[in-house]
């Protein structure tokens, strides 16, 4: 079986199959989605703490 490689700036990873690549990329996407949600919550909390509250008309 031919070995497949994905070159990234921080790693040289060897994969034995397309399924391993798909699984690895799926996990990475999930990790990134979770990190984005955390950052969105942090930004939202900071904006809520700094926005002036208008009173009146």
């Amino acid at each position: 079986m031919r070995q497949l490689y994905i070159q990234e700036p921080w790693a040289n990873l060897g994969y034995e199959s397309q399924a391993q690549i798909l699984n690895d990329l799926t996990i990475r996407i999930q990790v990134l989605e979770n990190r984005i949600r955390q950052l969105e919550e942090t930004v939202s909390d900071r904006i809520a703490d700094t926005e002036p509250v208008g009173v009146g008309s």
Side-chain angles (χ1 to χ4, degrees):
M1 180 182 294
R2 192 175 91 204
Q3 197 170 23
L4 305 171
Y5 291 95
I6 292 180
Q7 186 71 35
E8 295 182 334
W10 51 270
N12 185 12
L13 304 173
Y15 295 94
E16 296 292 330
S17 69
Q18 293 285 342
Q20 286 179 340
I21 294 172
L22 179 60
N23 185 53
D24 185 65
L25 292 175
T26 301
I27 291 169
R28 289 171 192 245
I29 290 169
Q30 291 170 345
V31 168
L32 289 172
E33 287 175 338
N34 288 334
R35 182 63 181 137
I36 289 169
R37 284 189 197 97
Q38 291 171 350
L39 290 171
E40 287 172 341
E41 289 174 9
T42 300
V43 169
S44 177
D45 291 345
R46 288 183 184 174
I47 290 174
D49 290 344
T50 60
E51 277 188 0
V53 177
V55 178
S57 62

